[in-house]
Amino acid sequence: MRVDADRDVCIGAGNCVLTAPEVFDQAADGLVDVIDPEPAPHLEQSVRDAVVRCPSGAITVGGPGRPGS
Ligand code: SF4
C-alpha cells in the first residue's frame, strides 16, 4: 500500500493521527504529515479507517507499496 495526503486539502482535523499514529503526524502548521508512506501490512486497516474518518478527503491510498502489502 502506498499512502499520500494532500496538504492543500487537509484541514488539520487530526483524525488520521488519532487513527493511525504510526503513519500520520501533524506538522507544526497543524496539517498532515505522512511519516510512513509505505506502511506495513498490519497497519493497512487503520490507514483505511483514517481515510474514512478524514473529513476533507485529503488521504489517498493506492498500491503497490512494499512487497506483500
Ligand atoms: S484527518 Fe484529514 S483533514 Fe484531518 S489532519 Fe488528517 S488528512 Fe488532514
Side-chain angles (χ1 to χ4, degrees):
M1 169 190 274
R2 176 87 213 159
V3 183
D4 269 310
D6 187 343
R7 290 172 53 84
D8 292 334
V9 174
C10 172
I11 57 170
N15 297 8
C16 58
V17 182
L18 294 174
T19 306
E22 304 90 344
V23 179
F24 303 100
D25 198 2
Q26 271 177 298
D29 60 6
L31 300 181
V32 66
D33 227 354
V34 178
I35 53 176
D36 185 0
E38 292 187 14
H42 73 280
L43 297 173
E44 289 190 5
Q45 188 55 56
S46 53
V47 170
R48 293 187 201 286
D49 290 345
V51 171
V52 172
R53 290 176 188 157
C54 173
S56 69
I59 304 167
T60 52
V61 296
R66 204 182 266 203
S69 66

